[in-house]
Amino acid sequence: MNKTIGMFAHVDAGKTTLAEQLLYMTGTIAQPGRVDHQSAFMDNHGIEKERGITVFADQAVMTYNGCTYYLMDTPGHVDFSPEMERVIQVMDAAVVVISAVEGVEGHTGTVWQLLRRYGIPVFVFINKVDRVGADVRRVLEEIRRELSADACLIEEGDDFTSGVLRPALIEAIAERDETLLDFYMEHGYEAETWREAMRTLVREGRIYPCFSGSALQNIGVSHFMKQLDVLTETNYRSEGEFAARVYKIRHDDAGTRLTYMKAVSGSLQIRDELEYHTGSEVVTEKVTGIRWVNGSRLSSVDKVKAGELFAVTGITAAGAGDGVGALSGKTVYELVPALKSKVEFNSDIHPKDMLRCFRLLDAEDPSLSVQWEEQVQEIHIHVMGVIQLEVLQRIVLERFGYQVAFGPPEILYKETIAEGTVGCGHFEPLKHYAEVHLKLEPGPRGSGIVFRNACHPDVLPVNYQHLVEQHIGERNHRGLLTGSPLTDIQVTLLKGRAHNKHTHGGDFREATYRALRQGLEKTNNILLEPYYQFKIKVDTAFVGRLMSDLTRAKASFEPPQTLGDQVVVVGSAPVATMMNYSVELAAFTHGKGMISLQFGGYDRCHNEEEVIARKGYNKDADPEYSSSSIFCAKGHGYSVPWDEADAHMHV
């Protein structure tokens, strides 16, 4: 049996130390490494050793009780949370490590919500019980209050293998399943029934087993592993058609692309052909190599089967989240950067050489969304925070030999419309012809750009209709206010026209862009900015200062909740006003305040006029977009402004 287990935690909760202890306990490594000694088996990158944090989601393989475990250590710092999210999709269970001293910290809430969204069974290990100030019961209540009321403590004497459980635990399990409760009331406790019921409850996210111990001192680790083993099951089938999910892209020292995936059914051999989708295109490529991964060691193998994690060569375009083989679809990730930064480098480096390097990094981390601004010859990337930029700087130097810097992170704004309208675009210079009519309507927040087709084939042939849809979806279209990406709009193709002789490639792109742009000119445009969902916990002595700060930050929040001598405030605020607040909070609470920031989507910009003025975008000078249409008369093309173009349209 194969099982993939993910390790998650807030920074410094002891996640990597627990992973090392598990590897040592199962005989995978000769001795457990330590983060502070830069000897952790899982943190094998120089950056991770020096900083003492996990940056990359790496995996190790261990064997326990006849089962093969793929252990995945994920980043605990919020700046690298997209890397964490990409590997969640291939996990069979997760271990969330929480300090018995600090309790539930900021990043823990983000991790918990992601794991629930993906439906991953969760085990909790309350770590560092040997530390001064450790209080397992207090932390357990915190978990129940802030994460889930269904957290259930499995003590050292509880053993699902032998069936010996405390009466309180038996009752707690029975209370979460009506059928089991009826069985208990009529027949009492029966070990096998409870074991099977517990597996089901864990798998369905109706109970969260919690354990306590010290990873560093090897206290409670063996008991934890024994219970995790008996309470997790997988049922992968090596028969049938091969199907897998891509979760990571890397490049080896020779620059060869490694596509990491997990097989969920069937088997794969070298020279097998794999089929997958890239947008609307179906790609078929031959697997030229298969590598088994254990820490930093990669070994070539001839065949892999369902339930296994591995890397292949020969697959050139599949990205993280893509299904391959019989598994279709692509994972839509929830954690997205709200900041962007410009790549700065010496003038003796050709921009296109630098762009090639960042394209490779973009394949490995698609959240970077690397953009090339042709006009100003600049590279821009999307980032989560300053720590990520520092790590990227080191990566570019080590891998490509280039010294780079980054401009100050800026907010990633977006634009949308407040009212519906119809936009028309006509493109008819000499010997060219295309006309497009689009209905634009506001869409729900977070919906992006949604295309619909209401055009009859008798009005515009289907192949040209498909071209319009393709051109709507092929790029991030710009708004009129700041040139920021357009979003949350429903675009409906109403009608259009082509010419049997003069319509050529690219004509419908021009007409579509002009129709979209003219529609924006005719309606009310609004600027959107990213928001954080926040949760802040402070001592009651600091609540006045906190309320003042949140009001100044343009935050909206629920009435404060008092929990003993602490106050918890939950709400939302613009990223622009809250992105550096954790430092300020730590300063005035003397490090005792806790803040959790999660990306909460986009909403109306709180200082729209100020941002528009600062950006200084000139919509009439954008060479990639024009609101006017081109018509032809007497053998010559002429331009008609957007506000006069409707009267000239042909349909």
Side-chain angles (χ1 to χ4, degrees):
M1 184 183 293
N2 297 304
K3 301 179 184 180
T4 303
I5 307 296
M7 309 292 291
F8 299 85
H10 189 88
V11 173
D12 292 334
K15 162 182 57 63
T16 300
T17 305
L18 178 59
E20 294 289 315
Q21 198 63 252
L22 292 173
L23 293 173
Y24 171 67
M25 186 187 73
T26 56
T28 306
I29 55 179
Q31 60 181 17
R34 287 184 55 165
V35 174
D36 54 346
H37 293 173
Q38 300 186 12
S39 60
F41 180 79
M42 300 287 274
D43 286 346
N44 50 63
H45 300 270
I47 298 168
E48 296 177 314
K49 293 178 184 294
E50 292 176 16
R51 287 185 171 270
I53 61 173
T54 302
V55 173
F56 307 100
D58 283 323
Q59 63 202 56
V61 183
M62 65 185 193
T63 302
Y64 181 83
N65 195 27
C67 178
T68 299
Y69 280 86
Y70 295 89
L71 198 62
M72 304 190 78
D73 192 14
T74 67
H77 196 285
V78 65
D79 279 19
F80 309 103
S81 48
E83 171 89 354
M84 173 195 71
E85 185 181 10
R86 284 191 290 273
V87 299
I88 285 178
Q89 60 188 323
V90 298
M91 293 177 180
D92 299 310
V95 177
V96 176
V97 183
I98 299 175
S99 168
V101 180
E102 285 79 14
V104 176
E105 298 179 88
H107 191 54
T108 315
T110 302
V111 167
W112 194 273
Q113 288 193 9
L114 273 178
L115 292 171
R116 299 320 310 137
R117 180 199 166 199
Y118 285 95
I120 308 299
V122 179
F123 295 79
V124 177
F125 188 82
I126 302 174
N127 193 27
K128 302 187 178 182
V129 297
D130 56 316
R131 287 259 311 274
V132 175
D135 189 335
V136 173
R137 295 292 173 180
R138 171 181 57 80
V139 173
L140 182 64
E141 288 307 311
E142 208 172 312
I143 292 169
R144 287 172 174 163
R145 184 174 62 244
E146 300 186 18
L147 301 179
S148 174
D150 293 315
C152 192
L153 185 63
I154 314 296
E155 295 185 356
E156 192 75 32
D158 297 316
D159 187 354
F160 285 92
T161 304
S162 64
V164 177
L165 303 180
R166 289 174 296 118
L169 179 58
I170 293 171
E171 292 174 7
I173 297 170
E175 288 171 357
R176 285 163 174 81
D177 187 289
E178 190 173 334
T179 303
L180 190 62
L181 182 59
D182 291 341
F183 180 92
Y184 178 61
M185 298 299 290
E186 185 174 347
H187 304 287
Y189 171 69
E190 196 277 313
E192 181 61 28
T193 301
W194 251 247
R195 184 162 46 243
E196 290 302 320
M198 188 67 171
R199 285 174 180 157
T200 301
L201 290 169
V202 170
R203 184 176 64 250
E204 295 177 353
R206 291 193 282 156
I207 201 166
Y208 302 100
C210 298
F211 303 82
S212 64
S214 168
L216 187 61
Q217 302 298 331
N218 194 17
I219 299 171
V221 177
S222 177
H223 174 252
F224 162 70
M225 186 64 211
K226 185 178 181 181
Q227 306 312 308
L228 182 143
D229 181 66
V230 74
L231 294 178
T232 54
E233 299 181 300
T234 59
N235 188 28
Y236 295 108
R237 295 182 177 273
S238 297
E239 303 82 17
E241 194 174 354
F242 177 77
R245 178 76 69 187
V246 177
Y247 64 92
K248 186 167 65 173
I249 303 296
R250 290 290 183 265
H251 295 83
D252 64 16
D253 293 339
T256 303
R257 190 181 199 265
L258 299 174
T259 302
Y260 287 69
M261 57 182 72
K262 178 179 182 176
V264 296
S265 69
S267 60
L268 181 72
Q269 301 182 75
I270 296 177
R271 292 180 291 279
D272 281 354
E273 290 190 336
L274 274 184
E275 183 180 282
Y276 58 93
H277 292 258
T278 58
S280 58
E281 184 182 3
V282 179
V283 177
T284 302
E285 293 180 309
K286 184 176 292 185
V287 173
T288 58
I290 304 175
R291 302 185 189 182
W292 190 70
V293 184
N294 189 12
S296 59
R297 300 193 293 268
L298 280 75
S299 309
S300 295
V301 295
D302 295 327
K303 183 179 180 179
V304 287
K305 61 182 185 299
E308 295 184 338
L309 274 65
F310 51 92
V312 303
T313 57
I315 305 302
T316 62
D322 285 343
V324 297
L327 187 62
S328 61
K330 183 179 181 68
T331 303
V332 177
Y333 297 117
E334 186 172 293
L335 297 178
V336 294
L339 305 172
K340 70 174 180 179
S341 182
K342 183 179 77 171
V343 182
E344 299 174 345
F345 49 92
N346 294 334
S347 57
D348 59 343
I349 303 173
H350 196 285
K352 293 300 175 70
D353 290 334
M354 185 61 70
L355 182 60
R356 275 192 290 272
C357 298
F358 274 88
R359 291 289 186 213
L360 279 178
L361 296 176
D362 191 55
E364 297 176 358
D365 181 0
S367 71
L368 288 175
S369 299
V370 174
Q371 297 173 345
W372 169 249
E373 301 288 345
E374 182 67 38
Q375 277 185 283
V376 290
Q377 299 280 291
E378 290 179 351
I379 301 170
H380 293 260
I381 60 173
H382 294 183
V383 294
M384 299 293 288
V386 175
I387 301 298
Q388 184 184 5
L389 289 176
E390 294 174 2
V391 169
L392 276 172
Q393 188 177 37
R394 173 75 175 273
I395 290 173
V396 173
L397 179 62
E398 289 184 351
R399 288 183 57 178
F400 309 114
Y402 291 135
Q403 185 72 53
V404 300
F406 297 96
E410 300 177 2
I411 299 297
L412 270 168
Y413 294 96
K414 295 186 180 183
E415 298 183 32
T416 190
I417 59 175
E419 303 161 350
T421 188
V422 174
C424 310
H426 190 95
F427 186 69
E428 192 188 357
L430 188 62
K431 295 184 179 179
H432 291 268
Y433 190 98
E435 182 170 305
V436 172
H437 293 242
L438 301 174
K439 182 179 181 180
L440 309 183
E441 298 172 284
R445 290 286 176 265
S447 61
I449 296 181
V450 177
F451 179 83
R452 293 186 178 178
N453 194 345
C455 182
H456 196 279
D458 292 345
V459 176
L460 182 68
V462 171
N463 59 317
Y464 293 123
Q465 295 180 25
H466 289 163
L467 279 179
V468 174
E469 180 178 5
Q470 175 185 322
H471 297 320
I472 289 295
E474 69 189 357
R475 65 182 304 178
N476 283 327
H477 298 283
R478 296 174 182 166
L480 301 183
L481 303 176
T482 62
S484 297
L486 201 60
T487 190
D488 299 347
I489 293 181
Q490 181 176 297
V491 180
T492 304
L493 174 61
L494 298 178
K495 54 187 176 179
R497 178 172 288 184
H499 192 282
N500 290 337
K501 181 178 179 182
H502 295 312
T503 296
H504 299 290
D507 291 357
F508 269 91
R509 174 181 283 108
E510 288 284 349
T512 300
Y513 285 7
R514 292 167 192 270
L516 182 65
R517 195 75 167 187
Q518 195 229 21
L520 296 180
E521 295 276 13
K522 293 161 69 175
T523 190
N524 181 23
N525 294 258
I526 58 176
L527 189 65
L528 304 176
E529 67 177 336
Y531 277 71
Y532 281 139
Q533 297 289 335
F534 65 79
K535 183 176 186 178
I536 303 176
K537 184 193 300 181
V538 298
D539 291 343
T540 52
F542 302 116
V543 68
R545 166 67 186 273
L546 177 61
M547 293 297 100
S548 175
D549 288 351
L550 292 178
T551 301
R552 190 174 64 251
K554 307 298 181 184
S556 59
F557 49 89
E558 300 173 7
Q561 287 185 306
T562 302
L563 301 171
D565 59 353
Q566 291 188 316
V567 170
V568 176
V569 182
V570 176
S572 66
V575 170
T577 63
M578 291 291 284
M579 59 188 292
N580 298 315
Y581 190 63
S582 59
V583 176
E584 190 175 344
L585 180 71
F588 77 77
T589 63
H590 312 296
K592 295 181 179 179
M594 188 203 83
I595 181 170
S596 169
L597 297 174
Q598 299 175 36
F599 177 68
Y602 277 76
D603 211 334
R604 191 73 182 260
C605 181
H606 77 284
N607 59 338
E608 183 177 85
E609 292 184 4
E610 177 188 330
V611 173
I612 292 172
R614 186 173 73 245
K615 292 285 185 180
Y617 175 67
N618 184 353
K619 61 184 177 64
D620 298 320
D622 192 331
E624 295 188 32
Y625 285 97
S626 174
S627 303
S628 61
S629 283
I630 306 298
F631 292 86
C632 188
K634 299 179 180 179
H636 296 283
Y638 64 96
S639 178
V640 176
W642 69 268
D643 53 349
E644 301 175 13
D646 286 1
H648 292 72
M649 293 295 160
H650 293 179
V651 291

